[in-house]
Amino acid sequence: MLTLGDILAGARAATPAFERWLETASPELADQVRAAAEAEGETPARFARSAVAAFDRDADFQAWTRLTGRLHAAADPGLVCLEEMVRWRLATSRAERLEEAR
């Protein structure tokens, strides 16, 4: 059985694969990630890695519940975890994340 640490490590390690997978699985999300990364002066891979850190640090109970719910049927928990964390980061502005952390 995978632990949360195993899944988070898989998500961090999956960032290069995530970019390739995302282009195929969700071109619209890939465009959003590229635009957000560019706006923050990051590469898409760096944006994805920082999404993992931000989610781990700042996500609320509902975000964690949604993530764990998606992991149950996931063929690749690392990619699913990373996708959910990136979607969360896109939906949560940097200012909101900083405010929630206080």
Side-chain angles (χ1 to χ4, degrees):
M1 173 185 275
L2 292 174
T3 67
L4 178 58
D6 295 334
I7 293 169
L8 290 174
R12 287 184 192 99
T15 52
F18 175 73
E19 287 184 69
R20 290 188 301 274
W21 171 81
L22 188 57
E23 283 295 329
T24 303
S26 180
E28 181 180 322
L29 181 58
D31 290 342
Q32 291 174 12
V33 168
R34 275 192 300 277
E38 185 178 316
E40 294 194 22
E42 298 177 335
T43 65
R46 174 74 180 119
F47 183 88
R49 282 191 300 276
S50 62
V52 172
F55 189 96
D56 185 37
R57 182 182 59 245
D58 302 327
D60 62 13
F61 177 77
Q62 290 87 2
W64 279 102
T65 300
R66 188 174 45 254
L67 170 66
T68 57
R70 288 196 60 209
L71 293 176
H72 288 288
D76 189 333
L79 283 175
V80 168
C81 185
L82 186 55
E83 177 193 7
E84 189 64 36
M85 291 176 175
V86 165
R87 287 185 184 279
W88 174 85
R89 183 169 179 212
L90 288 168
T92 308
S93 74
R94 188 170 197 277
E96 288 173 319
R97 291 191 309 273
L98 291 174
E99 184 62 32
E100 288 172 3
R102 291 183 183 173

